[in-house]
Amino acid sequence: MTSDLRVDGARLWERIEALGEIGAVHGPNGERGCNRLALSGADAAGRDLVTSWMADLGLDVTIDAIGNVVATRAGTVPGLAPVMTGSHIDTVRTGGRFDGILGVLAGLEVLETLIQHGVETSRPIAVGFFTDEEGARFAPDMLGSLVYVGGMAVEEALDVRAVDDGARLGDELARIGYAGPTPCPSAVVPHAFVELHIEQGPVLEREDVTIGAVTGVQGISWTQLTIVGQSAHAGTTPMGLRHDAGYAAAAITVGVRAIARRIAAPQVATVGRLELSPDLVNVVPGRAVLTVDLRHSDDAVLRQAEAELEEDCRRVAEHEGVVIDRQSLARFAPVSFDDSMIELVESTAAGLGLSCRRMPSGAGHDAQMLSRVCPTSMIFVPSVGGLSHNIAELTEPEHVQAGADVLLHVILEKARETR
Ligand code: GLV
Ligand code: MN
Ligand code: MN
C-alpha cells in the first residue's frame, strides 16, 4: 500500500544539517545560516556533497552546460517523460539552511524512500538543483532554470558578470568543475514539475496551517541604477553647487518606499544594495550604484511602478545635476500555476490529514520557469517567524516531514500516469 508510505524525516533532517555545514555562518545568538553564493567555493562543495548523495543512490546524474544537476530514477514504462522535482542549493550571502535546500533534499529523500521500499513507478522521477536561483551574485535570479527551459540562451547566460567581483559566470562554472556536457536547454520536457519550498513569509505560521498550495508567483522587476555626479570636498562645496550621487541615491530610495505606499499591497519595493564612492566621510559621493527590486502580482501595476521609478530618476537627475543610468537585471511577468497540479497538492495534503490553504508566492522560484514548459505547482511549509534570506531562517522538523510527505505522494500520483 503506497498510501501508507512516508519519507524518513530524520534522514532528510540529517542531510539538511550536513549541507548546512558548508558555507556555515554563525550569528551572535546561536543562529546558523549559510553563505553559498552561486559558483563560489562553498557552492562547489555543496554541489559535490549533493551530487555524491545522488550517485550513492545509483541515480543517473547529469550536469548540463549551465551547471544544472539532474538525477533520474528510471520508470517501468519505456518512453515516458519524467516527473520532475527540485530547487536550488545556492544561497544569498546571509542565507538560511532551508531556502531551496529543502526542495532538493526532500526530492532526494522521496527517491530514497521509493528505492528503499521497492516502489516502482511508470514514469521516471528526476530531482534537480538549478544554478544561481538566487541571482544575488549573477542576475537574473532563476538563471539556471530559465536557461533549462530555453528562456535565455546559454551563451548569453555564460557571459553574465558577477555583481561582486565582475567574474564571468562561464569562467566560474568551469573553475568549480560544473560546466557539464549535457546540452541546455534540456531536451527532456517533464510530464510535470512540483517543488517543495519553505514559505519564507508569515502566513502559514500565523494561521497555523501546515501546507501551502501555491497558486503562482508574483512578477519581479530588478533594476540597477548607476548615478554619476561629482565628488567634491565636503567642507568647502556649497550645498547649492553639489552634484551629490549619494543624495540622489537616498532620494530615489525614499521614492521607492513611496511608490510601494502609493500603489499599496501587494506592491513591494526594496533598495537592497547601495554602493557609494569614494565612500569617505569628508567627500561628496561622485558615484552611486543601487538596485531596486519591485514586485506585484498584476503585471500592469508592476509596469506602473516601473514607470514611477523612471519618473523619479528623471526628476532627481534634473534636480541634483547628476546622470542616472538604468539597467534591467531581471524582469519576469507574474505566473499562474496549473489548476490540476494545485488541486493535487490540496487533495494530497487532505489525504495525509494536513491542513492546507491556497496562497501566492512572494519569492521567485525555479518552478516559475518550469511552468513555461509543463504543468507545475509548489508546496509551501511554514517558516518560523516568517523569516528568510536571514541566517535565523528555520522550518520545524515536523513541517519538513509533512511537506516531504506531500511531495512524495504528489510525485507518486503523477509518476503513475501513463498519458
Ligand atoms: C529569490 O529568492 C527571490 O525571490 O529573490
Ligand atoms: Mn528559494
Ligand atoms: Mn532565496
Side-chain angles (χ1 to χ4, degrees), residues 13-37:
W13 191 263
E14 271 172 33
R15 284 205 176 112
I16 292 170
E17 294 275 2
L19 186 51
E21 290 301 315
I22 298 178
V25 176
H26 298 276
N29 301 308
E31 306 94 329
R32 290 160 58 212
C34 277
N35 174 2
R36 282 199 307 273
L37 282 174

mmCIF file with all atom_site columns, all heavy atoms in Angstrom, residues 13-37:
data_model
loop_
_atom_site.group_PDB
_atom_site.id
_atom_site.type_symbol
_atom_site.label_atom_id
_atom_site.label_alt_id
_atom_site.label_comp_id
_atom_site.label_asym_id
_atom_site.label_entity_id
_atom_site.label_seq_id
_atom_site.pdbx_PDB_ins_code
_atom_site.Cartn_x
_atom_site.Cartn_y
_atom_site.Cartn_z
_atom_site.occupancy
_atom_site.B_iso_or_equiv
_atom_site.pdbx_formal_charge
_atom_site.auth_seq_id
_atom_site.auth_comp_id
_atom_site.auth_asym_id
_atom_site.auth_atom_id
_atom_site.pdbx_PDB_model_num
ATOM 1   N N   . TRP A 1 13 ? 16.366 15.340 7.620  1.00 0.00 ? 13 TRP A N   1
ATOM 2   C CA  . TRP A 1 13 ? 16.868 16.393 8.521  1.00 0.00 ? 13 TRP A CA  1
ATOM 3   C C   . TRP A 1 13 ? 18.393 16.302 8.648  1.00 0.00 ? 13 TRP A C   1
ATOM 4   O O   . TRP A 1 13 ? 19.086 17.320 8.646  1.00 0.00 ? 13 TRP A O   1
ATOM 5   C CB  . TRP A 1 13 ? 16.201 16.269 9.901  1.00 0.00 ? 13 TRP A CB  1
ATOM 6   C CG  . TRP A 1 13 ? 16.478 17.454 10.759 1.00 0.00 ? 13 TRP A CG  1
ATOM 7   C CD1 . TRP A 1 13 ? 17.438 17.556 11.716 1.00 0.00 ? 13 TRP A CD1 1
ATOM 8   C CD2 . TRP A 1 13 ? 15.821 18.725 10.712 1.00 0.00 ? 13 TRP A CD2 1
ATOM 9   N NE1 . TRP A 1 13 ? 17.410 18.816 12.280 1.00 0.00 ? 13 TRP A NE1 1
ATOM 10  C CE2 . TRP A 1 13 ? 16.430 19.551 11.686 1.00 0.00 ? 13 TRP A CE2 1
ATOM 11  C CE3 . TRP A 1 13 ? 14.762 19.241 9.947  1.00 0.00 ? 13 TRP A CE3 1
ATOM 12  C CZ2 . TRP A 1 13 ? 16.031 20.869 11.913 1.00 0.00 ? 13 TRP A CZ2 1
ATOM 13  C CZ3 . TRP A 1 13 ? 14.360 20.553 10.173 1.00 0.00 ? 13 TRP A CZ3 1
ATOM 14  C CH2 . TRP A 1 13 ? 14.988 21.352 11.141 1.00 0.00 ? 13 TRP A CH2 1
ATOM 15  N N   . GLU A 1 14 ? 18.915 15.064 8.721  1.00 0.00 ? 14 GLU A N   1
ATOM 16  C CA  . GLU A 1 14 ? 20.387 14.885 8.801  1.00 0.00 ? 14 GLU A CA  1
ATOM 17  C C   . GLU A 1 14 ? 21.075 15.464 7.577  1.00 0.00 ? 14 GLU A C   1
ATOM 18  O O   . GLU A 1 14 ? 22.137 16.072 7.677  1.00 0.00 ? 14 GLU A O   1
ATOM 19  C CB  . GLU A 1 14 ? 20.731 13.392 8.888  1.00 0.00 ? 14 GLU A CB  1
ATOM 20  C CG  . GLU A 1 14 ? 20.778 12.865 10.292 1.00 0.00 ? 14 GLU A CG  1
ATOM 21  C CD  . GLU A 1 14 ? 20.931 11.347 10.310 1.00 0.00 ? 14 GLU A CD  1
ATOM 22  O OE1 . GLU A 1 14 ? 21.596 10.799 9.408  1.00 0.00 ? 14 GLU A OE1 1
ATOM 23  O OE2 . GLU A 1 14 ? 20.353 10.730 11.224 1.00 0.00 ? 14 GLU A OE2 1
ATOM 24  N N   . ARG A 1 15 ? 20.469 15.285 6.411  1.00 0.00 ? 15 ARG A N   1
ATOM 25  C CA  . ARG A 1 15 ? 21.092 15.834 5.191  1.00 0.00 ? 15 ARG A CA  1
ATOM 26  C C   . ARG A 1 15 ? 21.020 17.365 5.191  1.00 0.00 ? 15 ARG A C   1
ATOM 27  O O   . ARG A 1 15 ? 21.960 18.034 4.741  1.00 0.00 ? 15 ARG A O   1
ATOM 28  C CB  . ARG A 1 15 ? 20.405 15.267 3.941  1.00 0.00 ? 15 ARG A CB  1
ATOM 29  C CG  . ARG A 1 15 ? 20.802 13.830 3.634  1.00 0.00 ? 15 ARG A CG  1
ATOM 30  C CD  . ARG A 1 15 ? 20.616 13.513 2.155  1.00 0.00 ? 15 ARG A CD  1
ATOM 31  N NE  . ARG A 1 15 ? 21.085 12.178 1.842  1.00 0.00 ? 15 ARG A NE  1
ATOM 32  C CZ  . ARG A 1 15 ? 20.292 11.168 1.484  1.00 0.00 ? 15 ARG A CZ  1
ATOM 33  N NH1 . ARG A 1 15 ? 18.977 11.344 1.384  1.00 0.00 ? 15 ARG A NH1 1
ATOM 34  N NH2 . ARG A 1 15 ? 20.806 9.986  1.212  1.00 0.00 ? 15 ARG A NH2 1
ATOM 35  N N   . ILE A 1 16 ? 19.899 17.903 5.687  1.00 0.00 ? 16 ILE A N   1
ATOM 36  C CA  . ILE A 1 16 ? 19.791 19.371 5.780  1.00 0.00 ? 16 ILE A CA  1
ATOM 37  C C   . ILE A 1 16 ? 20.903 19.905 6.696  1.00 0.00 ? 16 ILE A C   1
ATOM 38  O O   . ILE A 1 16 ? 21.574 20.888 6.381  1.00 0.00 ? 16 ILE A O   1
ATOM 39  C CB  . ILE A 1 16 ? 18.389 19.791 6.294  1.00 0.00 ? 16 ILE A CB  1
ATOM 40  C CG1 . ILE A 1 16 ? 17.319 19.467 5.239  1.00 0.00 ? 16 ILE A CG1 1
ATOM 41  C CG2 . ILE A 1 16 ? 18.359 21.279 6.652  1.00 0.00 ? 16 ILE A CG2 1
ATOM 42  C CD1 . ILE A 1 16 ? 15.881 19.619 5.727  1.00 0.00 ? 16 ILE A CD1 1
ATOM 43  N N   . GLU A 1 17 ? 21.100 19.214 7.814  1.00 0.00 ? 17 GLU A N   1
ATOM 44  C CA  . GLU A 1 17 ? 22.161 19.618 8.762  1.00 0.00 ? 17 GLU A CA  1
ATOM 45  C C   . GLU A 1 17 ? 23.537 19.527 8.108  1.00 0.00 ? 17 GLU A C   1
ATOM 46  O O   . GLU A 1 17 ? 24.371 20.429 8.259  1.00 0.00 ? 17 GLU A O   1
ATOM 47  C CB  . GLU A 1 17 ? 22.135 18.716 10.006 1.00 0.00 ? 17 GLU A CB  1
ATOM 48  C CG  . GLU A 1 17 ? 20.903 18.855 10.869 1.00 0.00 ? 17 GLU A CG  1
ATOM 49  C CD  . GLU A 1 17 ? 21.025 20.006 11.856 1.00 0.00 ? 17 GLU A CD  1
ATOM 50  O OE1 . GLU A 1 17 ? 22.043 20.704 11.845 1.00 0.00 ? 17 GLU A OE1 1
ATOM 51  O OE2 . GLU A 1 17 ? 20.062 20.205 12.629 1.00 0.00 ? 17 GLU A OE2 1
ATOM 52  N N   . ALA A 1 18 ? 23.777 18.455 7.375  1.00 0.00 ? 18 ALA A N   1
ATOM 53  C CA  . ALA A 1 18 ? 25.103 18.247 6.768  1.00 0.00 ? 18 ALA A CA  1
ATOM 54  C C   . ALA A 1 18 ? 25.386 19.296 5.697  1.00 0.00 ? 18 ALA A C   1
ATOM 55  O O   . ALA A 1 18 ? 26.474 19.880 5.647  1.00 0.00 ? 18 ALA A O   1
ATOM 56  C CB  . ALA A 1 18 ? 25.176 16.841 6.172  1.00 0.00 ? 18 ALA A CB  1
ATOM 57  N N   . LEU A 1 19 ? 24.398 19.573 4.861  1.00 0.00 ? 19 LEU A N   1
ATOM 58  C CA  . LEU A 1 19 ? 24.609 20.585 3.810  1.00 0.00 ? 19 LEU A CA  1
ATOM 59  C C   . LEU A 1 19 ? 24.757 21.971 4.448  1.00 0.00 ? 19 LEU A C   1
ATOM 60  O O   . LEU A 1 19 ? 25.527 22.819 3.957  1.00 0.00 ? 19 LEU A O   1
ATOM 61  C CB  . LEU A 1 19 ? 23.451 20.541 2.801  1.00 0.00 ? 19 LEU A CB  1
ATOM 62  C CG  . LEU A 1 19 ? 23.566 21.430 1.565  1.00 0.00 ? 19 LEU A CG  1
ATOM 63  C CD1 . LEU A 1 19 ? 24.896 21.239 0.839  1.00 0.00 ? 19 LEU A CD1 1
ATOM 64  C CD2 . LEU A 1 19 ? 22.399 21.155 0.601  1.00 0.00 ? 19 LEU A CD2 1
ATOM 65  N N   . GLY A 1 20 ? 24.035 22.173 5.564  1.00 0.00 ? 20 GLY A N   1
ATOM 66  C CA  . GLY A 1 20 ? 24.104 23.458 6.267  1.00 0.00 ? 20 GLY A CA  1
ATOM 67  C C   . GLY A 1 20 ? 25.480 23.756 6.855  1.00 0.00 ? 20 GLY A C   1
ATOM 68  O O   . GLY A 1 20 ? 25.789 24.903 7.189  1.00 0.00 ? 20 GLY A O   1
ATOM 69  N N   . GLU A 1 21 ? 26.315 22.724 6.986  1.00 0.00 ? 21 GLU A N   1
ATOM 70  C CA  . GLU A 1 21 ? 27.681 22.945 7.492  1.00 0.00 ? 21 GLU A CA  1
ATOM 71  C C   . GLU A 1 21 ? 28.570 23.578 6.436  1.00 0.00 ? 21 GLU A C   1
ATOM 72  O O   . GLU A 1 21 ? 29.623 24.134 6.749  1.00 0.00 ? 21 GLU A O   1
ATOM 73  C CB  . GLU A 1 21 ? 28.310 21.613 7.941  1.00 0.00 ? 21 GLU A CB  1
ATOM 74  C CG  . GLU A 1 21 ? 27.695 21.032 9.202  1.00 0.00 ? 21 GLU A CG  1
ATOM 75  C CD  . GLU A 1 21 ? 27.803 21.989 10.376 1.00 0.00 ? 21 GLU A CD  1
ATOM 76  O OE1 . GLU A 1 21 ? 28.885 22.569 10.567 1.00 0.00 ? 21 GLU A OE1 1
ATOM 77  O OE2 . GLU A 1 21 ? 26.781 22.177 11.080 1.00 0.00 ? 21 GLU A OE2 1
ATOM 78  N N   . ILE A 1 22 ? 28.157 23.493 5.179  1.00 0.00 ? 22 ILE A N   1
ATOM 79  C CA  . ILE A 1 22 ? 29.014 24.001 4.088  1.00 0.00 ? 22 ILE A CA  1
ATOM 80  C C   . ILE A 1 22 ? 28.687 25.473 3.842  1.00 0.00 ? 22 ILE A C   1
ATOM 81  O O   . ILE A 1 22 ? 27.558 25.807 3.471  1.00 0.00 ? 22 ILE A O   1
ATOM 82  C CB  . ILE A 1 22 ? 28.819 23.162 2.815  1.00 0.00 ? 22 ILE A CB  1
ATOM 83  C CG1 . ILE A 1 22 ? 29.238 21.715 3.103  1.00 0.00 ? 22 ILE A CG1 1
ATOM 84  C CG2 . ILE A 1 22 ? 29.624 23.746 1.663  1.00 0.00 ? 22 ILE A CG2 1
ATOM 85  C CD1 . ILE A 1 22 ? 29.061 20.773 1.957  1.00 0.00 ? 22 ILE A CD1 1
ATOM 86  N N   . GLY A 1 23 ? 29.652 26.315 4.082  1.00 0.00 ? 23 GLY A N   1
ATOM 87  C CA  . GLY A 1 23 ? 29.425 27.757 3.989  1.00 0.00 ? 23 GLY A CA  1
ATOM 88  C C   . GLY A 1 23 ? 28.668 28.264 5.201  1.00 0.00 ? 23 GLY A C   1
ATOM 89  O O   . GLY A 1 23 ? 27.988 29.295 5.135  1.00 0.00 ? 23 GLY A O   1
ATOM 90  N N   . ALA A 1 24 ? 28.787 27.547 6.332  1.00 0.00 ? 24 ALA A N   1
ATOM 91  C CA  . ALA A 1 24 ? 28.015 27.905 7.534  1.00 0.00 ? 24 ALA A CA  1
ATOM 92  C C   . ALA A 1 24 ? 28.381 29.306 8.042  1.00 0.00 ? 24 ALA A C   1
ATOM 93  O O   . ALA A 1 24 ? 29.540 29.710 8.009  1.00 0.00 ? 24 ALA A O   1
ATOM 94  C CB  . ALA A 1 24 ? 28.266 26.872 8.635  1.00 0.00 ? 24 ALA A CB  1
ATOM 95  N N   . VAL A 1 25 ? 27.333 30.013 8.474  1.00 0.00 ? 25 VAL A N   1
ATOM 96  C CA  . VAL A 1 25 ? 27.504 31.345 9.065  1.00 0.00 ? 25 VAL A CA  1
ATOM 97  C C   . VAL A 1 25 ? 26.849 31.287 10.445 1.00 0.00 ? 25 VAL A C   1
ATOM 98  O O   . VAL A 1 25 ? 25.717 30.829 10.563 1.00 0.00 ? 25 VAL A O   1
ATOM 99  C CB  . VAL A 1 25 ? 26.788 32.424 8.217  1.00 0.00 ? 25 VAL A CB  1
ATOM 100 C CG1 . VAL A 1 25 ? 26.875 33.775 8.887  1.00 0.00 ? 25 VAL A CG1 1
ATOM 101 C CG2 . VAL A 1 25 ? 27.362 32.480 6.806  1.00 0.00 ? 25 VAL A CG2 1
ATOM 102 N N   . HIS A 1 26 ? 27.556 31.719 11.460 1.00 0.00 ? 26 HIS A N   1
ATOM 103 C CA  . HIS A 1 26 ? 27.007 31.662 12.822 1.00 0.00 ? 26 HIS A CA  1
ATOM 104 C C   . HIS A 1 26 ? 26.715 33.061 13.328 1.00 0.00 ? 26 HIS A C   1
ATOM 105 O O   . HIS A 1 26 ? 27.546 33.961 13.213 1.00 0.00 ? 26 HIS A O   1
ATOM 106 C CB  . HIS A 1 26 ? 27.984 30.943 13.754 1.00 0.00 ? 26 HIS A CB  1
ATOM 107 C CG  . HIS A 1 26 ? 28.229 29.513 13.336 1.00 0.00 ? 26 HIS A CG  1
ATOM 108 N ND1 . HIS A 1 26 ? 27.397 28.488 13.703 1.00 0.00 ? 26 HIS A ND1 1
ATOM 109 C CD2 . HIS A 1 26 ? 29.176 28.966 12.539 1.00 0.00 ? 26 HIS A CD2 1
ATOM 110 C CE1 . HIS A 1 26 ? 27.819 27.352 13.170 1.00 0.00 ? 26 HIS A CE1 1
ATOM 111 N NE2 . HIS A 1 26 ? 28.906 27.618 12.445 1.00 0.00 ? 26 HIS A NE2 1
ATOM 112 N N   . GLY A 1 27 ? 25.517 33.245 13.892 1.00 0.00 ? 27 GLY A N   1
ATOM 113 C CA  . GLY A 1 27 ? 25.124 34.540 14.432 1.00 0.00 ? 27 GLY A CA  1
ATOM 114 C C   . GLY A 1 27 ? 25.415 34.624 15.914 1.00 0.00 ? 27 GLY A C   1
ATOM 115 O O   . GLY A 1 27 ? 25.674 33.605 16.559 1.00 0.00 ? 27 GLY A O   1
ATOM 116 N N   . PRO A 1 28 ? 25.345 35.838 16.482 1.00 0.00 ? 28 PRO A N   1
ATOM 117 C CA  . PRO A 1 28 ? 25.700 36.040 17.892 1.00 0.00 ? 28 PRO A CA  1
ATOM 118 C C   . PRO A 1 28 ? 24.727 35.368 18.859 1.00 0.00 ? 28 PRO A C   1
ATOM 119 O O   . PRO A 1 28 ? 25.059 35.143 20.015 1.00 0.00 ? 28 PRO A O   1
ATOM 120 C CB  . PRO A 1 28 ? 25.651 37.569 18.047 1.00 0.00 ? 28 PRO A CB  1
ATOM 121 C CG  . PRO A 1 28 ? 24.801 38.058 16.917 1.00 0.00 ? 28 PRO A CG  1
ATOM 122 C CD  . PRO A 1 28 ? 24.959 37.075 15.801 1.00 0.00 ? 28 PRO A CD  1
ATOM 123 N N   . ASN A 1 29 ? 23.516 35.032 18.396 1.00 0.00 ? 29 ASN A N   1
ATOM 124 C CA  . ASN A 1 29 ? 22.532 34.423 19.294 1.00 0.00 ? 29 ASN A CA  1
ATOM 125 C C   . ASN A 1 29 ? 22.259 32.963 18.944 1.00 0.00 ? 29 ASN A C   1
ATOM 126 O O   . ASN A 1 29 ? 21.150 32.460 19.129 1.00 0.00 ? 29 ASN A O   1
ATOM 127 C CB  . ASN A 1 29 ? 21.231 35.236 19.266 1.00 0.00 ? 29 ASN A CB  1
ATOM 128 C CG  . ASN A 1 29 ? 21.462 36.665 19.683 1.00 0.00 ? 29 ASN A CG  1
ATOM 129 O OD1 . ASN A 1 29 ? 22.052 36.915 20.739 1.00 0.00 ? 29 ASN A OD1 1
ATOM 130 N ND2 . ASN A 1 29 ? 21.074 37.611 18.849 1.00 0.00 ? 29 ASN A ND2 1
ATOM 131 N N   . GLY A 1 30 ? 23.281 32.299 18.393 1.00 0.00 ? 30 GLY A N   1
ATOM 132 C CA  . GLY A 1 30 ? 23.135 30.879 18.089 1.00 0.00 ? 30 GLY A CA  1
ATOM 133 C C   . GLY A 1 30 ? 22.507 30.602 16.732 1.00 0.00 ? 30 GLY A C   1
ATOM 134 O O   . GLY A 1 30 ? 22.250 29.442 16.393 1.00 0.00 ? 30 GLY A O   1
ATOM 135 N N   . GLU A 1 31 ? 22.231 31.655 15.941 1.00 0.00 ? 31 GLU A N   1
ATOM 136 C CA  . GLU A 1 31 ? 21.658 31.419 14.617 1.00 0.00 ? 31 GLU A CA  1
ATOM 137 C C   . GLU A 1 31 ? 22.678 30.677 13.761 1.00 0.00 ? 31 GLU A C   1
ATOM 138 O O   . GLU A 1 31 ? 23.880 30.897 13.886 1.00 0.00 ? 31 GLU A O   1
ATOM 139 C CB  . GLU A 1 31 ? 21.315 32.736 13.897 1.00 0.00 ? 31 GLU A CB  1
ATOM 140 C CG  . GLU A 1 31 ? 20.428 33.685 14.669 1.00 0.00 ? 31 GLU A CG  1
ATOM 141 C CD  . GLU A 1 31 ? 21.246 34.707 15.455 1.00 0.00 ? 31 GLU A CD  1
ATOM 142 O OE1 . GLU A 1 31 ? 22.379 34.376 15.885 1.00 0.00 ? 31 GLU A OE1 1
ATOM 143 O OE2 . GLU A 1 31 ? 20.751 35.821 15.641 1.00 0.00 ? 31 GLU A OE2 1
ATOM 144 N N   . ARG A 1 32 ? 22.150 29.807 12.870 1.00 0.00 ? 32 ARG A N   1
ATOM 145 C CA  . ARG A 1 32 ? 23.043 29.067 11.966 1.00 0.00 ? 32 ARG A CA  1
ATOM 146 C C   . ARG A 1 32 ? 22.513 29.221 10.551 1.00 0.00 ? 32 ARG A C   1
ATOM 147 O O   . ARG A 1 32 ? 21.464 28.682 10.216 1.00 0.00 ? 32 ARG A O   1
ATOM 148 C CB  . ARG A 1 32 ? 23.063 27.596 12.337 1.00 0.00 ? 32 ARG A CB  1
ATOM 149 C CG  . ARG A 1 32 ? 23.775 27.328 13.647 1.00 0.00 ? 32 ARG A CG  1
ATOM 150 C CD  . ARG A 1 32 ? 23.372 25.990 14.219 1.00 0.00 ? 32 ARG A CD  1
ATOM 151 N NE  . ARG A 1 32 ? 23.658 24.919 13.273 1.00 0.00 ? 32 ARG A NE  1
ATOM 152 C CZ  . ARG A 1 32 ? 22.936 23.807 13.178 1.00 0.00 ? 32 ARG A CZ  1
ATOM 153 N NH1 . ARG A 1 32 ? 21.878 23.633 13.936 1.00 0.00 ? 32 ARG A NH1 1
ATOM 154 N NH2 . ARG A 1 32 ? 23.260 22.878 12.316 1.00 0.00 ? 32 ARG A NH2 1
ATOM 155 N N   . GLY A 1 33 ? 23.227 29.988 9.748  1.00 0.00 ? 33 GLY A N   1
ATOM 156 C CA  . GLY A 1 33 ? 22.808 30.208 8.371  1.00 0.00 ? 33 GLY A CA  1
ATOM 157 C C   . GLY A 1 33 ? 23.863 29.745 7.404  1.00 0.00 ? 33 GLY A C   1
ATOM 158 O O   . GLY A 1 33 ? 24.768 28.974 7.765  1.00 0.00 ? 33 GLY A O   1
ATOM 159 N N   . CYS A 1 34 ? 23.760 30.195 6.167  1.00 0.00 ? 34 CYS A N   1
ATOM 160 C CA  . CYS A 1 34 ? 24.680 29.760 5.111  1.00 0.00 ? 34 CYS A CA  1
ATOM 161 C C   . CYS A 1 34 ? 25.056 30.915 4.200  1.00 0.00 ? 34 CYS A C   1
ATOM 162 O O   . CYS A 1 34 ? 24.217 31.762 3.886  1.00 0.00 ? 34 CYS A O   1
ATOM 163 C CB  . CYS A 1 34 ? 24.010 28.699 4.237  1.00 0.00 ? 34 CYS A CB  1
ATOM 164 S SG  . CYS A 1 34 ? 24.106 27.078 4.939  1.00 0.00 ? 34 CYS A SG  1
ATOM 165 N N   . ASN A 1 35 ? 26.293 30.877 3.758  1.00 0.00 ? 35 ASN A N   1
ATOM 166 C CA  . ASN A 1 35 ? 26.756 31.751 2.681  1.00 0.00 ? 35 ASN A CA  1
ATOM 167 C C   . ASN A 1 35 ? 27.292 30.849 1.577  1.00 0.00 ? 35 ASN A C   1
ATOM 168 O O   . ASN A 1 35 ? 28.431 30.410 1.629  1.00 0.00 ? 35 ASN A O   1
ATOM 169 C CB  . ASN A 1 35 ? 27.852 32.691 3.218  1.00 0.00 ? 35 ASN A CB  1
ATOM 170 C CG  . ASN A 1 35 ? 28.484 33.523 2.097  1.00 0.00 ? 35 ASN A CG  1
ATOM 171 O OD1 . ASN A 1 35 ? 28.079 33.434 0.937  1.00 0.00 ? 35 ASN A OD1 1
ATOM 172 N ND2 . ASN A 1 35 ? 29.479 34.318 2.444  1.00 0.00 ? 35 ASN A ND2 1
ATOM 173 N N   . ARG A 1 36 ? 26.423 30.532 0.605  1.00 0.00 ? 36 ARG A N   1
ATOM 174 C CA  . ARG A 1 36 ? 26.862 29.737 -0.554 1.00 0.00 ? 36 ARG A CA  1
ATOM 175 C C   . ARG A 1 36 ? 26.433 30.462 -1.823 1.00 0.00 ? 36 ARG A C   1
ATOM 176 O O   . ARG A 1 36 ? 25.570 29.998 -2.572 1.00 0.00 ? 36 ARG A O   1
ATOM 177 C CB  . ARG A 1 36 ? 26.270 28.322 -0.525 1.00 0.00 ? 36 ARG A CB  1
ATOM 178 C CG  . ARG A 1 36 ? 26.966 27.369 0.433  1.00 0.00 ? 36 ARG A CG  1
ATOM 179 C CD  . ARG A 1 36 ? 26.684 25.904 0.108  1.00 0.00 ? 36 ARG A CD  1
ATOM 180 N NE  . ARG A 1 36 ? 25.277 25.625 0.015  1.00 0.00 ? 36 ARG A NE  1
ATOM 181 C CZ  . ARG A 1 36 ? 24.499 25.292 1.051  1.00 0.00 ? 36 ARG A CZ  1
ATOM 182 N NH1 . ARG A 1 36 ? 25.015 25.163 2.247  1.00 0.00 ? 36 ARG A NH1 1
ATOM 183 N NH2 . ARG A 1 36 ? 23.207 25.086 0.881  1.00 0.00 ? 36 ARG A NH2 1
ATOM 184 N N   . LEU A 1 37 ? 27.003 31.639 -2.029 1.00 0.00 ? 37 LEU A N   1
ATOM 185 C CA  . LEU A 1 37 ? 26.693 32.398 -3.240 1.00 0.00 ? 37 LEU A CA  1
ATOM 186 C C   . LEU A 1 37 ? 27.000 31.539 -4.461 1.00 0.00 ? 37 LEU A C   1
ATOM 187 O O   . LEU A 1 37 ? 27.953 30.747 -4.453 1.00 0.00 ? 37 LEU A O   1
ATOM 188 C CB  . LEU A 1 37 ? 27.525 33.678 -3.295 1.00 0.00 ? 37 LEU A CB  1
ATOM 189 C CG  . LEU A 1 37 ? 27.047 34.842 -2.423 1.00 0.00 ? 37 LEU A CG  1
ATOM 190 C CD1 . LEU A 1 37 ? 28.055 35.983 -2.480 1.00 0.00 ? 37 LEU A CD1 1
ATOM 191 C CD2 . LEU A 1 37 ? 25.664 35.340 -2.845 1.00 0.00 ? 37 LEU A CD2 1
#
